[in-house]
Amino acid sequence: MEILKTVELQKIYGAGETEVRALDGVNLSVEKGEFVAVVGTSGSGKSTMLHMIGGLDTPTAGEVLVDGQTLGHMTEEELTIFRRRNIGFVFQQYNLLPMLNVWENIILPVRLDGRHPEQTYVKELIRVLGLEQKLENLPGTLSGGQQQRVAIARALASKPAILLADEPTGNLDSKTSQDVLGLLKATGEMFHQTIVMITHNEEIAQLADRILRIEDGKIVADSKDKGEEEQPW
C-alpha cells in the first residue's frame, strides 16, 4: 500500500541569475512499512524534500500525497491538524519541553489533538525504547541518547502514517547513534511504521530497507531499482 507519493515536486528560490532549484522534479513512492534513507551532501535538497513531505514548507510546483491526501489542497488549519495526526517528526535537536516529564512529552501531541493516548500501545512503545524507568524524569536529567528515544516515542505516540527523521543522530556519538538507530528500526518493524530518514552518514543509511541518493535537487539513485544494489554508494 502506497503511503507517500510526490509528483514532479519542485522548490525554487530566487529568480533569473540567482535562481536556485532546491528540488527539481522529484517523483517518489513509499510503501507502508518501508524504512527509507535519503542521503546526499549538504545543499543537495534532502532536507528541503523532507520539509515538503512533512507539510512544513510549500512547494513551488508539484504535489505531495500522504495516506492518499494531497497536502496542497488543505487550508493552513487543516494541514496543521493533518500533520499532528499523520506525520511524526524526529529532529537532530530533540525539541522536548524542559518543564514536562518524559511521559508528558511523549503524549503531548495526542493531548494537543484533544484525544487520550492509547495506553497499551504507548506503554509497549515505551518498553521497546527502554524508557520505563524514566517516565518521571525531566529532559534535562537524561543523556542525549535517552532524549532522542523520548523524541522517537513522542513521534510515534499518535500512530502517524509516516515518521520523518532529519539527521536524528547528528548530536550523538557513534555508539549511541547505532543504539538509537537500531531502536528506530526495531520500532518501525514491530509497529509496521513507515520511516523516511535524512542523513549524510552512509553507514547509518545502510540500516534502512531502501536508500535514495539526492543530488542537485534530483533523485539520482534508488536501491529499489533493479540492479541498483550492486552499485557503489
Side-chain angles (χ1 to χ4, degrees):
M1 175 185 172
E2 186 181 64
I3 204 74
L4 169 66
K5 182 179 182 180
T6 69
V7 182
E8 291 297 322
L9 199 60
Q10 292 187 2
K11 184 63 176 182
I12 301 172
Y13 297 100
E17 293 182 0
T18 62
E19 180 181 288
V20 175
R21 289 180 173 264
L23 290 181
D24 193 8
V26 171
N27 292 295
L28 173 64
S29 176
V30 176
E31 296 293 310
K32 181 173 176 58
E34 271 195 296
F35 182 5
V36 180
V38 181
V39 297
T41 57
S42 178
S44 61
K46 60 185 188 298
S47 290
T48 301
M49 185 173 78
L50 195 82
H51 290 161
M52 300 295 144
I53 291 171
L56 298 175
D57 199 356
T58 305
T60 305
E63 293 183 341
V64 176
L65 291 87
V66 176
D67 204 13
Q69 301 294 309
T70 304
L71 302 191
H73 293 172
M74 299 179 188
T75 66
E76 196 63 42
E77 183 179 357
E78 288 170 341
L79 181 58
T80 298
I81 294 170
F82 182 84
R83 197 166 49 221
R84 190 164 61 223
R85 293 178 179 175
N86 295 281
I87 305 174
F89 295 95
V90 178
F91 296 106
Q92 183 173 334
Q93 304 295 335
Y94 318 121
N95 294 342
L96 302 176
L97 293 182
M99 72 291 297
L100 299 182
N101 66 28
V102 166
W103 171 256
E104 291 165 337
N105 266 286
I106 290 171
I107 66 170
L108 181 62
V110 180
R111 298 308 301 266
L112 285 174
D113 202 35
R115 295 179 291 136
H116 293 287
E118 193 175 312
Q119 294 281 340
T120 302
Y121 166 72
V122 175
K123 286 180 179 178
E124 178 64 7
L125 195 57
I126 287 166
R127 185 194 67 78
V128 172
L129 289 166
L131 294 168
E132 302 105 313
Q133 306 305 315
K134 301 293 182 180
L135 296 182
E136 298 297 327
N137 285 54
L138 294 176
T141 68
L142 304 177
S143 68
Q146 289 169 337
Q147 290 188 63
Q148 194 61 297
R149 282 188 273 154
V150 175
I152 291 170
R154 178 185 59 189
L156 293 173
S158 59
K159 292 188 173 179
I162 57 173
L163 184 147
L164 304 179
D166 191 356
E167 300 282 5
T169 59
N171 287 334
L172 305 176
D173 61 59
S174 57
K175 183 183 183 306
T176 307
S177 294
Q178 291 293 330
D179 291 344
V180 168
L181 261 296
L183 286 167
L184 183 63
K185 184 177 177 68
T187 54
E189 291 174 349
M190 181 172 292
F191 301 110
H192 202 48
Q193 177 65 55
T194 308
I195 302 169
V196 178
M197 177 182 70
I198 300 295
T199 182
H200 68 278
N201 188 313
E202 305 280 351
E203 184 178 351
I204 284 174
Q206 298 300 321
L207 290 170
D209 306 319
R210 176 183 173 195
I211 302 174
L212 304 176
R213 179 174 291 280
I214 189 168
E215 293 177 8
D216 299 323
K218 297 180 178 180
I219 294 175
V220 296
D222 184 346
S223 66
K224 189 176 183 179
D225 295 337
K226 185 177 179 180
E228 190 63 55
E229 294 85 351
E230 300 174 2
Q231 296 191 20
W233 291 99

